[in-house]
Amino acid sequence: MPPPALLPQLPLPGRRLAEEEPWEVVPPLPPPAGAGSWGRREAAGAMLGSGAKAAKPSFVSYVSPEEIHIKEPIEKEVNPRLLPVYDEKKKLLTGQLRKYPEKLIIYCKDLRVFHFCLRYTKEEEVKRIVSGIVHHSQTPKLLKRLFLFSYASAAPNNTDGRNQTVMFDALEDWRDELERTKGNVKYKAVATNEGYRVSEKLPLYFVVPICVSEESILKFQGRGIPIWCWSCHNGAALLKMSAFPKEQDDSTSQTQKAFLDGIYKTISKPPYELLKTDDLSSSLPSLQDIQTAYTRFKQLFLIDNSTDFWDTDVKWFSLLESTNWLEIIRRFLKKAIEVAECLERQHTNVLLVEESATDLCCVISSLVQVMMDSYSRTKSGFQSLIQKEWVIGGHGFLDRCNHLHKNDKEEAPVFLLLLNCVWQLVQQYPPAFEFTETYLTVLSDSLYVPIFSTFFFNSQHQKDTTTTGESLKTQSGPFKFLTVWDWSVQFEPKAQALLNNPLYAEKPKPDKSQRKTARFKHQRQLSLPLTQTKCSPKRGFFREETDHLIKNILGKRIGKFINSSDEPHNSFREFYDSWHSKPVDYHGLLLPRIDGPEIKVWAQRYLRWIPEAQLHGGGAIATAAKILDLMEEVQSLQVKMDEEHSQAISQDRQAVPMLRNSARLSSLFPFALLQRQSVKPALPTSTWNDLEDEDDLVKRDDEFVDLSGDMS
């Protein structure tokens, strides 16, 4: 929990007020108002052992009885009579209610909590409100009934043309990515799935090894085919593969075994490196484990009254540990480090195997690229990465986010898990990222904003068939879905500046005169010990291991497939400790710290709506305010220098967000301010401004909930 505010020192029981003055034992003092958990713990510690027999006083009091009974004038405490806002009896809202509630508490997916009093509302209105909430939050829906389609009919056309995100919906996008990573020598972009003739779950275009034929891709609807994700600077590549179903009859299993045998014999030959295969479904927590852990974890932050907040504060760390959420984050980061070791130090290809290759594979492949590729740590690069691995890669956002409220068993916060893991890297190495934690927070919120199509479909096929259907065409033509990467739809320019990291260590552009020299290796790469280059006979590894490999891919648990005798058992720890003993290269390999308390809670996202968790005038925002003031001064000096040299002022210079009077800001800015009259975020949106001009209902004060009244 956040540290409490500084409080004046109070005399504790048995504490001497002065060394030379007489003193007496006074009863324990209650914690002062507003002292929070600090006062409670101090008072609790002072009262320990109160049940023991009192010791005989060994001192003499020189204070007369008259002086003891003299009472100082005390100001009368004013206790305003407030309406009660907390009731221990809570019932889950369903459509079948005998008696409609007098109070309504709404828990939002972004962890905000709203209170509504219905005691003085007409019963007909209460029935209409309850029925509407149940319909929109619990009743299963058809895809075409989502608000996404209603909004798409009136979506604005003035989109931001400066968006540099690669969408990976064209063959050229994949070829450009192959060229950028130098993977076009061994891999090729294919259009075999045009018209979705291979599989509706695969994208239209993807990348496979050059030696894989089109007939092999068509044979089992893309299953058993290694699909390229990314290539390292040393030629090693990260691949993923959709495994065959576990339950198969003997004849089908034999056919699939022969098919896999041919695939692995093909890719085991030069110029491909050695291959290590990892079945993520057996080495990482399951989707059900992830969902269970997050459900427990988010309950710690769905606080609807101050009493619950301070009650959980006493046992906060034990409750946090029991959720197992941070441990899951640690395990995924550790797995990403293991993959990075194979690619970076062992020069070994890594094949990630999963039943659909659209959940756990997406998390690990994205983390590896963020850790190893500095381009993925820029804002446009990170957005392109999500497009490639998640949106086009076929992650089932519709099912995993349960947008239709049809099947709770399919729900799992897989994408949110990735953002939590990336946040650990951002807060450990801020200069290495072009974006801020605020960017990650609003991106996590956008997962449930029903005006963008980015996170609302299970596959590219589902989106294409839904948006081009004749029944979905409006009077003005087909629906126009918006992409979440156009931040101008949500935020004004000043608010967008809060998404950019002012301390980002931008990668210097290479000198043109040195382009023909040998490829530069980062300091981290040069400092790491490399394994000896495997001799050519070793490449026949798969000829002895093919049968064992196929059996595991067809359903059995997979362990380590490469376990060379010359490789130390603790190679991971050696790699991890060796990297952390060197200075950080913000443009090279980044390994997260995963030991002990290094894995932290994403405070801005999970505590932003809880007033008691805020530090007024403190936290990281105080430091950021000073830095931004300095940047503003530097920019003003740069403008003056340009004017003196008669040079045109750069028009693409990013605006610096104004954070005046940082002492009045909360540590959870920009989502919470010191003034708590409203829960309206400090990030102004253009959509909100448009609504204010059109609908006067938004301007009414009773549309906002005063958290200070509810939480006091």
Side-chain angles (χ1 to χ4, degrees), residues 39 94 107 113 168 175 251 339 367 381 521 551 575 692 711:
T94 60
Y107 299 91
V113 180
F168 288 96
R175 290 174 176 170
S251 60
V339 174
L367 282 177
K521 290 188 176 182
K551 290 179 182 178
F575 175 77
E692 284 184 336
M711 297 292 187

Side-chain angles (χ1 to χ4, degrees), residues 203-262:
L204 288 175
Y205 313 103
F206 51 92
V207 177
V208 296
I210 292 180
C211 57
V212 175
S213 64
E214 182 175 343
E215 292 75 14
S216 300
I217 300 176
L218 289 169
K219 190 167 186 179
F220 291 104
Q221 297 182 334
R223 290 185 179 272
I225 298 297
I227 296 178
W228 177 87
C229 297
W230 178 77
S231 288
C232 186
H233 64 89
N234 56 22
L238 180 63
L239 309 168
K240 64 180 179 181
M241 188 180 72
S242 178
F244 290 109
K246 296 181 179 180
E247 301 297 332
Q248 298 284 348
D249 53 53
D250 293 339
S251 60
T252 304
S253 297
Q254 291 296 328
T255 304
Q256 294 172 352
K257 178 180 178 181
F259 174 76
L260 287 176
D261 190 12

Side-chain angles (χ1 to χ4, degrees), residues 625-641:
K626 300 297 182 183
I627 295 174
L628 292 175
D629 288 343
L630 182 60
M631 288 187 61
E632 182 186 4
E633 183 178 353
V634 171
Q635 285 193 1
S636 63
L637 292 175
Q638 183 66 46
V639 170
K640 292 181 180 180
M641 293 175 61

Side-chain angles (χ1 to χ4, degrees), residues 363-436:
V363 179
I364 298 302
S365 62
S366 300
L367 282 177
V368 170
Q369 294 176 61
V370 169
M371 290 162 50
M372 302 188 68
D373 191 351
S374 61
Y375 171 70
S376 298
R377 300 196 283 268
T378 63
K379 192 161 69 171
S380 61
F382 185 69
Q383 294 173 175
S384 302
L385 171 65
I386 294 176
Q387 275 291 135
K388 179 179 67 172
E389 299 294 338
W390 295 80
V391 181
I392 300 299
H395 177 68
F397 286 103
L398 191 67
D399 293 338
R400 296 295 176 253
C401 299
N402 200 15
H403 290 310
L404 300 181
H405 310 290
K406 284 187 175 180
N407 192 352
D408 294 340
K409 294 182 180 180
E410 295 293 329
E411 185 175 1
V414 185
F415 183 70
L416 187 58
L417 174 63
L418 169 74
L419 297 183
N420 277 263
C421 293
V422 173
W423 179 86
Q424 303 292 333
L425 285 161
V426 170
Q427 63 96 17
Q428 291 181 15
Y429 308 104
F433 292 85
E434 188 182 27
F435 50 85
T436 62

Side-chain angles (χ1 to χ4, degrees), residues 293-307:
Y294 182 70
T295 301
R296 295 173 181 172
F297 176 74
K298 71 178 181 180
Q299 293 302 320
L300 299 179
F301 309 99
L302 289 172
I303 304 295
D304 53 42
N305 59 85
S306 293
T307 303

